[in-house]
Amino acid sequence: QVQLVESGGGLVQAGGSLRLSCAASGGNPSTYTMGWFRQAPGKEREFVGWCGRNGGNTYYADPVKGRFTISRDNTKNTVYLQMNSLKPEDTAVYYCAARSRIYLSIRTYDYDYWGQGTQVTVSS
C-alpha cells in the first residue's frame, strides 16, 4: 500500500511558476511509475504528465508540454511537478498517482494509488 501526499499548490499570477511535490510512503515507491493529473471545476480529471521509475523517461500532455517538467528523487520518495509560464486555464486541483506497471499510461483507471490533491489557482 502506497500513500501519496501532494503539496506546493497555491495562488499565482499568470506567467508565474509553482513546484508541486508528491511524497510517497509505504510499499516500495521507487518501483512505481508516477503520473500527474488535474481536475478543473465541472471537468473530468485529465492527464498532465508521467515519469518512469528512475525519472529518465517522461511524457507530457500537449497543453503543458514545454512548460511543465516532472522529476523524481527516489532517495526522498518524492516526485515533483515544476510548472512554469502558468496560465489561467491551468487552474485545477492537481493529483499525483502511482502505477505499478512500468509502461506509460494517460488513463486514470490504470493508476493504483492517488493523493488527495492540491489546489493550483492562476489569476489573470
Side-chain angles (χ1 to χ4, degrees):
Q1 188 85 5
V2 175
Q3 292 81 43
L4 303 173
V5 179
E6 301 96 334
S7 61
L11 173 64
V12 64
Q13 288 189 331
S17 299
L18 279 176
R19 187 177 81 155
L20 306 183
S21 299
C22 172
S25 61
N28 192 356
S30 64
T31 66
Y32 288 79
T33 60
M34 300 297 295
W36 283 95
F37 292 77
R38 66 186 182 186
Q39 188 166 19
K43 295 188 176 182
E44 292 187 354
R45 193 167 299 188
E46 66 173 1
F47 172 78
V48 171
W50 170 93
C51 86
R53 289 174 172 173
N54 63 8
N57 294 324
T58 55
Y59 180 82
Y60 301 94
D62 285 344
V64 308
K65 201 172 292 183
R67 300 187 297 123
F68 291 11
T69 303
I70 297 175
S71 61
R72 68 189 292 171
D73 184 343
N74 285 337
T75 66
K76 298 180 179 179
N77 289 334
T78 301
V79 179
Y80 304 97
L81 179 65
Q82 178 67 44
M83 305 186 295
N84 299 328
S85 302
L86 283 161
K87 305 175 181 179
E89 51 263 44
D90 294 319
T91 295
V93 177
Y94 282 71
Y95 299 89
C96 66
R99 169 172 160 80
S100 59
R101 300 291 184 96
I102 65 170
Y103 301 110
L104 159 69
S105 175
I106 66 171
R107 302 175 298 197
T108 57
Y109 54 81
D110 281 337
Y111 287 79
D112 304 294
Y113 303 102
W114 290 83
Q116 83 290 349
T118 185
Q119 176 70 47
V120 171
T121 303
V122 184
S123 63
S124 57

